[in-house]
Amino acid sequence: TTLFRSADRANITGKFGDAECLKLEEAFPQKVFNTKIRNNVAIAEAPINGVDIFEYDPKSNGAIDYNGIVSEILGRETK
């Protein structure tokens, strides 16, 4: 199972490009998560402050996205 973070897409773009990421998603629809983790400052700042993203900034895009991936994982587990 694969999870793409926005940082991964930025790094992959230099090597493969978004088209290849989409090909992977199409080729392995049950193996690539739909939820994407957006990069944001709060994700980087949380560990510096000794807390997780949910304690540091629960309304940040990072916290919202990580909650989304947890929901997606749990949804797959119950199927």
Side-chain angles (χ1 to χ4, degrees):
T1 305
T2 302
L3 166 67
F4 285 121
R5 294 179 335 147
S6 60
D8 295 335
R9 279 194 182 269
N11 292 337
I12 289 171
T13 300
K15 257 186 188 174
F16 304 109
D18 280 338
E20 282 72 18
C21 290
L22 291 173
K23 286 179 189 176
L24 285 173
E25 291 169 346
E26 290 170 0
F28 304 102
Q30 300 303 314
K31 300 290 183 183
V32 177
F33 289 109
N34 294 318
T35 303
K36 308 300 185 266
I37 308 297
R38 294 170 282 184
N39 229 354
N40 66 68
V41 175
I43 290 175
E45 290 175 345
I48 293 170
N49 288 284
V51 295
D52 60 46
I53 188 63
F54 305 107
E55 289 180 58
Y56 184 73
D57 189 354
K59 294 181 180 179
S60 69
N61 287 335
I64 292 166
D65 294 345
Y66 276 108
N67 273 324
I69 194 68
V70 168
S71 294
E72 190 173 344
I73 290 167
L74 292 175
R76 287 186 182 192
E77 292 294 318
T78 59
K79 290 182 181 180

